[in-house]
């Protein structure tokens, strides 16, 4: 492990010998136009702007128009005016993760925000916009990972290196379920990106849901909803970069982002500011090109390490076919649907197992386990098809043997799918419990 002295020496060596300086020529909404250093800039370059009152404002180059570079600040533009100096910071955005980051809460600049002191920087830089490993060199997705949630472990079993989407409307319990997986998963390290969250919910998630035990093996990246779209977007990239660092150490990483929708909204704001034409529901074309670049970075690596990705999608208006949901569903290896109707009847987690699927599950399970899950799905499907008639009292018992059987099993299966936030479930125990329910109950 690198000593503190070596780390300090490494920081000193990063100090520049000279600086490249330009100036502000115009401000239009969220955009700051710069002249004088265009030949030294490229898309993604990081700069700092010195405001009239001496405040340092970070910014990123997001485009060029005629002879001017267009920069978007990471914070407010108040105090910035024509003639303010702009200094080039770096051509490529990188961070230097370190194993000591476990148990820490950081922002989109990879700076500590948890009052536990500054972060040590590792020796190797990791690019925020890194490309995923070549597809032909990646190892296959195999081997189950215990996520600690019974309904997901059993009905949508996740494998190491798999990517699952959690689709949910607002207030249906996705954040609570993510916290359960962060606390109870058997992954060696968890990297959690809270993108565009309410400020109140951040502390609630870290202190109440995740807890000291869950935080111990986690790195939490935070960008709240009141921060600039660049901060929200960059926080997602930082989350994946930190996950890639631990993956390269040969560890099994659980990477969670809540939510991909707010990442897409941030990219939409940036795209519209730079003049991109709005496409589907106002989302610009770059939104749909950036999503696979972000999500494909999760998965198995070239070496031993893996990144298992859990990405929540905030479904607008409970429409599971809205543009972001539809695009993300096509990129990932499965999806978990949280249902508002299930939540309203008091069953949490509100997973709709009939609409959820894990594409790698059949190959990871034994034939016996697959048969067990298929039988449970058939019983739930039969009940759901007749649920309205049963509730209205229009179905007469004895009319159908299959429906009678489903009615007998339904309360037991519902109880199986219910799990308290303080309850930890394991893979083997879930299949055993389901086998006991289907094996012992007589319709």
């Amino acid at each position: 492990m690198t000593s503190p002295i070596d780390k300090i020496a490494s920081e000193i060596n990063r100090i520049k010998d000279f600086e490249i300086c330009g100036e502000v020529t115009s401000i239009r909404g969220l955009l700051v136009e710069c002249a004088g250093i265009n030949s030294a800039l490229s898309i993604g370059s990081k700069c700092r702007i010195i405001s009239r009152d001496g405040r340092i404002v970070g910014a990123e180059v997001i485009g060029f128009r005629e002879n001017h570079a267009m920069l978007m600040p990471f914070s407010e533009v108040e105090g910035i005016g024509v003639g303010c100096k702009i200094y080039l910071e770096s051509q490529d955005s990188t961070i230097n993760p370190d194993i000591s980051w476990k148990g820490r809460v950081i922002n989109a600049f990879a700076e500590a925000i948890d009052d536990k002191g500054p972060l040590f920087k590792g020796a190797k830089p990791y690019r925020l916009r890194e490309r995923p490993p070549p597809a032909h060199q990646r190892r296959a997705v195999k081997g189950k990972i215990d996520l600690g949630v019974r309904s997901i472990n059993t009905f949508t079993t996740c494998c190491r290196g798999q990517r699952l989407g959690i689709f949910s409307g607002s207030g249906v319990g996705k954040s609570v379920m993510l916290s359960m997986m962060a606390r109870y998963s058997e992954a060696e390290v968890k990297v959690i990106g809270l993108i565009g969250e309410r400020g109140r919910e951040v502390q609630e998630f870290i202190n109440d849901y995740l807890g000291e035990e869950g935080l111990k093996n986690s790195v939490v990246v935070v960008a709240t909803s009141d921060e600039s779209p660049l901060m929200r977007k960059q926080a997602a990239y930082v989350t994946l970069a930190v996950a890639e660092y631990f993956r390269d150490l040969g560890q099994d990483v659980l990477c969670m982002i809540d939510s991909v929708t707010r990442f897409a909204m941030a990219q939409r704001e940036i795209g519209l500011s730079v003049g991109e034409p709005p496409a589907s529901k106002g989302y610009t074309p770059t939104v749909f090109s950036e999503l696979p670049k972000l999500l494909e970075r999760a998965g198995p690596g070239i070496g031993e390490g893996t990144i298992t990705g859990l990405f929540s999608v905030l479904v607008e208006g409970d429409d599971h076919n809205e543009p972001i949901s539809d695009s993300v569903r096509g990129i990932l290896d499965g999806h978990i649907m949280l249902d508002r109707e299930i939540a309203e009847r008091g069953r949490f987690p509100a997973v709709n197992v009939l609409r959820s699927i894990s594409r790698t599950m059949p190959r990871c399970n034994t034939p016996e386990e697959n048969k067990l899950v298929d039988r449970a799905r058939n019983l739930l499907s039969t009940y759901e098809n007749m649920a309205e008639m049963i509730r209205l009292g229009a179905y007469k018992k004895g009319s159908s043997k299959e429906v009678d059987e489903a009615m007998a099993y339904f309360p037991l299966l519902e109880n199986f799918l219910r799990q308290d936030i303080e309850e930890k479930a394991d893979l083997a125990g879930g299949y055993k419990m389901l086998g006991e329910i289907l094996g012992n109950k007589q319709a």
Side-chain angles (χ1 to χ4, degrees):
M1 183 181 290
T2 307
S3 70
I5 297 295
D6 291 335
K7 290 178 179 178
I8 293 170
S10 177
E11 286 297 302
I12 293 172
N13 290 333
R14 291 191 184 108
I15 297 174
K16 301 176 187 175
D17 296 326
F18 61 91
E19 290 192 305
I20 300 173
C21 177
E23 64 178 29
V24 175
T25 58
S26 173
I27 301 173
R28 301 181 184 181
L30 297 175
L31 292 182
V32 175
E33 293 193 3
C34 167
I37 54 172
N38 291 356
S39 60
L41 299 177
S42 58
I43 297 294
S45 295
K46 293 293 189 295
C47 301
R48 71 180 190 275
I49 306 170
I50 310 300
S51 68
R52 300 274 193 227
D53 56 3
R55 185 167 58 96
I56 298 175
V57 180
E60 181 178 311
V61 178
I62 61 172
F64 293 88
R65 180 180 295 156
E66 297 176 352
N67 295 321
H68 296 89
M70 293 182 290
L71 285 73
M72 179 172 281
F74 283 97
S75 56
E76 297 80 10
V77 295
E78 280 76 17
I80 300 175
V82 174
C84 286
K85 297 300 181 184
I86 298 177
Y87 295 89
L88 174 62
E89 284 285 295
S90 65
Q91 289 288 10
D92 197 9
S93 300
T94 61
I95 61 171
N96 292 70
D98 187 76
I99 198 165
S100 62
W101 288 19
K102 286 202 288 187
R104 303 301 300 270
V105 182
I106 65 177
N107 63 12
F109 295 124
E111 299 168 338
I113 55 173
D114 54 5
D115 298 325
K116 295 181 181 178
L119 296 171
F120 279 124
K121 292 187 177 181
K124 181 182 177 182
Y126 277 75
R127 295 179 65 243
L128 298 189
R129 301 291 300 272
E130 188 59 85
R131 293 183 61 82
H136 64 282
Q137 294 181 17
R138 280 190 161 188
R139 293 185 300 107
V141 173
K142 59 182 179 181
K144 300 179 188 179
I145 182 169
D146 189 344
L147 295 178
V149 178
R150 189 162 47 242
S151 55
I152 296 173
N153 276 348
T154 311
F155 284 90
T156 53
T157 308
C158 184
C159 298
R160 298 178 190 277
Q162 186 176 351
R163 298 162 303 152
L164 281 173
I166 300 173
F167 296 77
S168 165
S170 57
V172 184
K174 68 180 183 311
S175 295
V176 175
M177 192 173 74
L178 283 170
S179 71
M180 292 171 67
M181 290 187 280
R183 288 169 67 184
Y184 303 139
S185 167
E186 66 178 6
E188 295 171 86
V189 62
K190 296 96 174 180
V191 183
I192 305 163
L194 302 179
I195 314 301
E197 284 290 326
R198 305 176 188 91
R200 172 190 62 80
E201 286 190 338
V202 171
Q203 286 299 322
E204 192 175 89
F205 181 92
I206 294 171
N207 296 328
D208 299 340
Y209 296 156
L210 190 58
E212 188 176 339
E213 188 64 27
L215 183 60
K216 186 170 61 177
N217 291 317
S218 303
V219 181
V220 182
V221 185
V222 175
T224 53
S225 59
D226 60 317
E227 294 186 87
S228 73
L230 269 182
M231 290 285 279
R232 285 176 268 144
K233 176 185 174 183
Q234 181 158 305
Y237 291 130
V238 168
T239 303
L240 266 300
V242 174
E244 286 166 344
Y245 164 76
F246 286 104
R247 177 202 64 195
D248 291 347
L249 294 179
Q251 298 185 357
D252 289 318
V253 183
L254 181 64
C255 177
M256 298 187 284
I257 289 184
D258 185 16
S259 71
V260 172
T261 303
R262 294 190 180 110
F263 166 82
M265 288 177 173
Q267 180 60 47
R268 176 173 62 182
E269 289 181 52
I270 295 167
L272 291 174
S273 296
V274 84
E276 275 193 84
S280 182
K281 283 201 173 181
Y283 289 102
T284 56
T286 51
V287 172
F288 302 101
S289 65
E290 287 295 322
L291 282 173
K293 291 177 184 177
L294 177 74
L295 303 178
E296 281 288 347
R297 290 169 66 178
I302 298 173
E304 289 299 314
T306 62
I307 300 176
T308 303
L310 294 173
F311 305 103
S312 79
V313 179
L314 182 62
V315 179
E316 294 185 15
D318 287 345
D319 177 13
H320 288 268
N321 293 316
E322 55 91 22
I324 300 303
S325 299
D326 205 38
S327 179
V328 171
R329 198 163 47 237
I331 297 169
L332 301 180
D333 308 316
H335 49 267
I336 298 164
M337 298 292 188
L338 301 189
D339 196 312
R340 190 175 299 277
E341 289 186 4
I342 293 175
E344 287 172 348
R345 68 175 185 244
R347 195 255 281 169
F348 290 97
V351 178
N352 187 329
V353 297
L354 296 177
R355 297 180 61 193
S356 303
I357 188 170
S358 168
R359 293 191 177 99
T360 64
M361 175 178 167
R363 296 195 304 273
C364 291
N365 277 355
T366 64
E368 293 75 18
E369 288 171 339
N370 283 328
K371 287 178 182 178
L372 192 66
V373 173
D374 288 344
R375 174 154 166 71
R377 282 181 178 275
N378 287 334
L379 290 167
L380 289 170
S381 177
T382 301
Y383 183 88
E384 287 298 324
N385 290 338
M386 297 294 294
E388 197 64 32
M389 292 185 67
I390 293 169
R391 292 190 192 103
L392 293 172
Y395 174 76
K396 184 178 179 182
K397 193 172 182 179
S399 301
S400 167
K401 181 182 177 181
E402 289 79 11
V403 176
D404 290 346
E405 185 181 35
M407 288 174 64
Y409 279 108
F410 184 74
L412 299 174
L413 292 173
E414 275 284 281
N415 188 60
F416 171 81
L417 296 172
R418 183 179 284 106
Q419 185 175 340
D420 187 75
I421 188 174
E422 299 297 332
E423 179 188 354
K424 180 180 180 180
D426 62 88
L427 267 167
Y431 282 109
K432 181 181 178 183
M433 186 176 175
L434 185 62
E436 290 173 351
I437 289 172
L438 299 181
N440 297 338
K441 175 67 182 176
Q442 297 297 321

